[in-house]
Amino acid sequence: MVNPYTPPGAQLEREVLNTQGQGTLQGGINGQYDFSIRGIIAEGWEKISGAKGTLLLALLIYIVIASILNVVQSLIFPDPNALMQQGLWGPAILWITVTTLISIPLTYPLVAGIPLLGIRRSVDAQIEAGSIFQAYSKTIPLTLLYLAMMLLTILGYVLLIIPGIYLSVAYLMSYSLMIDRDIGVWEALEASRKAITKHWFKIFFLYLVLGIMSVLAALPLFIGLIWMLPLFFIVHGILYKKMFGVASVE
């Protein structure tokens, strides 16, 4: 016989999140966070187990979609390389611009969605490869963010290179901020820039180390990338958590 006073059971159990070491948006902007390169990579390595397959599948989804898009564009539009070989630089630049503007809204949401899996993993939340498609809900703002980021970064490289290098690192968290915090283009760019500027050199060397590790992992027939690519995104997620905290995971 059922006890009528027994409280109803929940259909879904609330995820137990790892909130330890989380920052805040304003705290991150103010530079109120810290980390060690060795420590954050070690923490990321501990979180690879159980997430590796999901992250690799998400990357595969992006590669397949981007490859299909490239094939379709090559069948529809003139080949810019062939045009350049013929000395037709104007039409070549035109078609490069056209195909790029078409591909950005179709593929960049996936590019922005994959690091979000690393951010979810940083708090031990459940991750699914298909969730990267959720970033398409912000296709227009993400496209505008990408164009603004590229324009400012290219302008920085034109201006003596050093400003371009600075901005390339300073904007690393902008797309994650837009999706996780649901903020606008300029707010995401400035929040990322201000936060990273406070520890710019340490963050630069963190991604430099990850880049060197990726190159070394690719040497033996690319086998090491099976571990290195997920590690890269998980470390990115952990750094984001330490800087701003994770707002989008309930």
Side-chain angles (χ1 to χ4, degrees), residues 14 54 62 93 104 109 166 170 245 249:
R14 185 179 179 87
T54 301
Y62 163 72
I93 294 174
I104 290 172
Y166 162 73
V249 180

Side-chain angles (χ1 to χ4, degrees), residues 44-109:
W45 182 259
E46 292 176 356
K47 293 182 180 294
I48 284 182
S49 179
K52 184 166 70 270
T54 301
L55 284 163
L56 291 174
L57 179 57
L59 282 168
L60 180 61
I61 291 172
Y62 163 72
I63 292 171
V64 169
I65 292 176
S67 299
I68 292 173
L69 178 61
N70 286 335
V71 171
V72 172
Q73 287 183 330
S74 68
L75 295 174
I76 297 175
F77 302 109
D79 183 5
N81 293 324
L83 292 173
M84 286 188 285
Q85 291 175 0
Q86 298 172 21
L88 301 174
W89 289 91
I93 294 174
L94 172 63
W95 288 117
I96 289 174
T97 303
V98 169
T99 54
T100 301
L101 290 176
I102 292 174
S103 63
I104 290 172
L106 294 178
T107 60
Y108 191 67

Side-chain angles (χ1 to χ4, degrees), residues 70 117 129 150 186 210:
N70 286 335
L117 296 179
M150 287 299 100
W186 187 247
L210 290 173

Side-chain angles (χ1 to χ4, degrees), residues 12 90 210 234:
L12 296 174
L210 290 173
I234 293 173

Side-chain angles (χ1 to χ4, degrees), residues 149-172:
M149 186 167 56
M150 287 299 100
L151 179 62
L152 292 170
T153 303
I154 291 172
L155 182 62
Y157 278 106
V158 172
L159 299 174
L160 303 177
I161 299 179
I162 293 178
I165 297 174
Y166 162 73
L167 291 177
S168 296
V169 177
Y171 289 152
L172 280 172

